[in-house]
């Protein structure tokens, strides 16, 4: 399930292009466009909506009025942040519309409610002593979600569950085809969660979810061609957005950039090949180098940077980072030559390689005399932590609502929708 082009453009931000249409027959499209802008900008003025959509002021007022009635947006205080000039009414996402994001990984199950506008409300990181089974994930998420609901303000609505998986997900039914680091194969996690929570579940690869989050809210907002690369406990995943569209491939598995070949005769990979990026560059190598105990791995970035301050004790660590930077650059060169992105966003432990060796990745990527696609690509860091994945997972759940706000909330929707969807 990919976004229709108009929705992608709506999420892209206020580019000044004409997005809307005044004909009544396109009211659904206009409602979707306006909600998409309020969502991706986390609040806009009526004047901004008028400029961005090309719709007249009375049409914008009517559309916003309908979204207010639906409880999806709120008209709030005047925007006086500028301090002078004519104030404008701000339209912000209503805080009561939420998605449940779930991201199981090797040693933690992350669960959070995310409100429209991409704000994480109450993240919970449930640590596990070993890779959780599918049944354990269902139990953990059910228990956490039950606890979360008791503290939610009324009124609220949970539109669905976005499930970010460190592995391959079936594009048709959300089945986890393979998550090698978790030891999962052909697991109907989406269906089990949908049954347990009585909510529609949409599943995708974690880095694909992260790419969507970045494209909508993060470092990648406004970039029409970006590659998101995420390094976690379960390896390295990627998501590719080209010409504003998420690249899925014939069967939905495009963007497996962790399996880009970076070294001949290299380390054996879970995919059966060897010398893949995710086999050569691992979070575990860095954890071991700084001697971080299990349970404190979310502090890895700070621990690495701290240890690098100590000149005498850190040569091993420097060597590892130097090696990882060079191998990552080899992988990125292939990615850039293949896809010609304007932006590469690095998330998870891959951030460390940029922060620990400022400029090194850039220099390795752009060898002297570089021309062509590598000349103009820039590298940015995703926000710290799991947030980009959780915000991106929520995007999966929000998609049907954003596509047709009024239709999604019609009473018959509940009876007519399928409990499980996938992307
Ligand atoms: Zn591989």
């Amino acid at each position: 399930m990919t976004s229709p082009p108009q929705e992608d453009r709506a999420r892209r931000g206020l580019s000044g292009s004409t997005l809307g249409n005044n004909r009544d027959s396109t009211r659904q499209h206009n409602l979707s466009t306006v909600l998409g802008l309020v969502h991706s900008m986390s609040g806009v003025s009526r004047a901004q909506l008028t400029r961005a959509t090309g719709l007249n002021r009375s049409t914008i007022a009517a559309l916003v009025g309908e979204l207010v009635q639906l409880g999806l947006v709120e008209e709030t205080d005047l925007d006086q942040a500028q301090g002078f000039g004519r104030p404008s009414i701000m339209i912000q996402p209503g805080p009561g519309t939420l998605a449940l994001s779930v991201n199981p990984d090797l040693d933690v199950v992350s669960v959070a409610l995310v409100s429209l506008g991409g704000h994480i409300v109450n993240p919970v990181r449930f640590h596990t002593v070993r890779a959780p089974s599918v049944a354990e994930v269902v139990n953990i998420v059910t228990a956490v979600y039950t606890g979360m609901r008791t503290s939610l303000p009324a009124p609220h609505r949970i539109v669905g569950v976005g499930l970010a998986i460190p592995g391959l997900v079936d594009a048709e039914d959300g089945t986890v085809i393979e998550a090698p680091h978790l030891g999962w194969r052909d697991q109907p996690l989406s269906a089990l969660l949908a049954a347990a929570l009585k909510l529609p579940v949409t599943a995708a690869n974690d880095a694909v979810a992260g790419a969507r989050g970045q494209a909508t809210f993060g470092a990648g907002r406004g970039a029409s061609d970006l590659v998101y690369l995420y390094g976690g406990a379960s390896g390295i995943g990627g998501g590719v957005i080209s010409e504003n569209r998420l690249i899925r491939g014939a069967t939905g598995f495009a963007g497996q950039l962790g399996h880009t070949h970076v070294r001949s005769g290299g380390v054996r990979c879970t995919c059966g090949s060897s010398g893949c990026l995710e086999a050569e560059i691992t979070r575990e190598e860095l954890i071991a180098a700084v001697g971080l105990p299990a349970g404190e791995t979310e502090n890895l970035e700070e621990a690495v940077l701290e240890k690098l301050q100590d000149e005498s004790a850190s040569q091993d660590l420097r060597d590892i980072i130097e090696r990882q930077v060079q191998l990552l650059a080899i992988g990125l060169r292939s990615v850039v030559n293949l896809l010609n992105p304007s932006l590469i966003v690095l998330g998870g432990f891959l951030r460390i390689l940029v922060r620990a060796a400022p400029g090194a990745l850039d220099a390795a990527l752009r060898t002297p005399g570089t021309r062509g696609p590598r000349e103009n690509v820039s590298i940015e860091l995703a926000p710290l932590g799991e947030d980009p994945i959780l915000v991106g997972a929520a995007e999966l759940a929000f998609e049907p609502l954003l596509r047709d706000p009024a239709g999604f909330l019609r009473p018959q929707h509940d009876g007519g929708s399928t409990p499980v969807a996938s992307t």
Side-chain angles (χ1 to χ4, degrees):
M1 185 162 59
T2 51
S3 311
Q6 67 269 25
E7 188 184 321
D8 283 340
R9 286 199 300 274
R11 291 172 177 194
R12 204 61 45 201
L14 302 178
S15 62
S17 59
T18 299
L19 297 175
N21 188 308
N22 279 314
R23 285 177 301 170
D24 284 347
S25 60
T26 59
R27 190 172 180 80
Q28 175 195 324
H29 161 65
N30 288 341
L31 211 56
S32 165
T33 299
V34 169
L35 183 60
L37 285 167
V38 175
H39 172 60
S40 65
M41 303 298 289
S42 290
V44 286
S45 67
R46 280 192 187 181
Q48 284 175 303
L49 285 175
T50 306
R51 272 200 305 278
T53 59
L55 295 168
N56 61 47
R57 285 197 298 177
S58 62
T59 304
I60 287 293
L63 291 166
V64 169
E66 187 170 349
L67 292 172
V68 170
Q69 289 255 308
L70 291 168
L72 293 171
V73 307
E74 293 178 346
E75 291 188 285
T76 60
D77 296 342
L78 304 179
D79 176 24
Q80 291 172 321
Q82 305 299 322
F84 54 87
R86 196 173 63 167
S88 177
I89 293 172
M90 291 299 288
I91 299 128
Q92 293 181 322
T97 303
L98 303 148
L100 184 72
S101 290
V102 177
N103 175 218
D105 211 333
L106 202 56
D107 52 6
V108 65
V109 180
S110 299
V111 185
L113 285 167
V114 181
S115 68
L116 211 52
H119 302 294
I120 293 182
V121 179
N122 47 358
V124 172
R125 289 173 57 77
F126 192 99
H127 288 275
T128 57
V129 289
R130 53 181 167 73
S133 69
V134 165
E136 284 165 345
V137 170
V138 173
N139 288 339
I140 290 167
V141 173
T142 305
V144 170
Y145 177 60
T146 305
M148 281 175 172
R149 289 204 71 175
T150 60
S151 62
L152 278 180
H156 67 265
R157 63 164 77 91
I158 314 289
V159 300
V161 182
L163 179 58
I165 296 290
L168 293 179
V169 177
D170 188 297
E172 296 300 319
D173 63 7
T175 298
V176 180
I177 294 171
E178 190 164 43
H181 298 269
L182 299 179
W184 298 358
R185 200 163 205 171
D186 295 324
Q187 294 290 335
L189 177 56
S190 295
L192 293 171
L193 269 182
L197 303 176
K198 299 187 173 45
L199 288 169
V201 177
T202 308
N205 172 268
D206 55 2
V208 168
R212 294 182 64 129
Q214 288 300 303
T216 307
F217 303 108
R221 189 161 74 188
S224 58
D225 294 86
L226 79 93
V227 172
Y228 176 67
L229 215 56
Y230 174 78
S234 294
I236 296 172
V240 178
I241 289 172
S242 180
E243 296 180 346
N244 287 334
R245 306 209 50 157
L246 184 72
I247 301 296
R248 297 181 67 244
T251 52
F253 302 148
Q256 295 292 306
L257 304 177
H259 299 288
T260 305
H261 186 79
V262 294
R263 193 162 75 90
S264 297
V267 178
R268 189 126 181 104
C269 181
T270 54
C271 72
S273 185
S274 63
C276 295
L277 187 64
E278 75 165 34
E280 294 289 335
I281 299 180
T282 67
R283 192 185 73 143
E284 277 50 50
E285 196 177 17
L286 293 170
I287 290 173
V290 293
L292 212 56
E296 289 179 31
T297 51
E298 57 240 60
N299 303 323
L300 178 62
E301 185 166 321
E302 288 317 310
V304 168
L305 295 175
E306 202 174 298
K307 185 149 188 181
L308 284 173
Q309 304 293 323
D310 180 355
E311 279 296 329
S312 59
S314 61
Q315 194 51 49
D316 280 359
L317 183 58
R318 280 178 209 285
D319 291 345
I320 288 169
I321 286 169
E322 164 69 15
R323 180 178 171 277
Q324 292 203 354
V325 165
Q326 293 304 324
L327 290 166
L328 180 58
I330 292 171
L332 289 182
R333 274 180 228 148
S334 297
V335 167
V336 170
N337 285 324
L338 200 62
L339 299 164
N340 188 202
S342 61
L343 178 65
I344 295 168
V345 181
L346 299 177
F349 82 86
L350 298 178
R351 285 170 45 96
I352 296 171
L353 302 182
V354 176
R355 290 196 69 200
L361 184 63
D362 232 32
L365 182 61
R366 261 183 286 273
T367 45
T370 295
R371 306 297 301 177
R374 279 189 274 144
E375 201 175 358
N376 296 313
V377 65
S378 55
I379 296 172
E380 290 190 28
L381 303 185
L384 196 59
E386 313 297 318
D387 295 7
I389 304 283
L390 293 173
V391 169
E395 285 299 285
L396 305 173
F398 282 132
E399 186 172 325
L401 171 72
L402 291 168
R403 192 169 54 237
D404 181 8
F408 182 85
L409 296 176
R410 254 176 235 127
Q412 64 264 34
H413 177 87
D414 294 336
S417 70
T418 49
V420 181
S422 64
T423 188

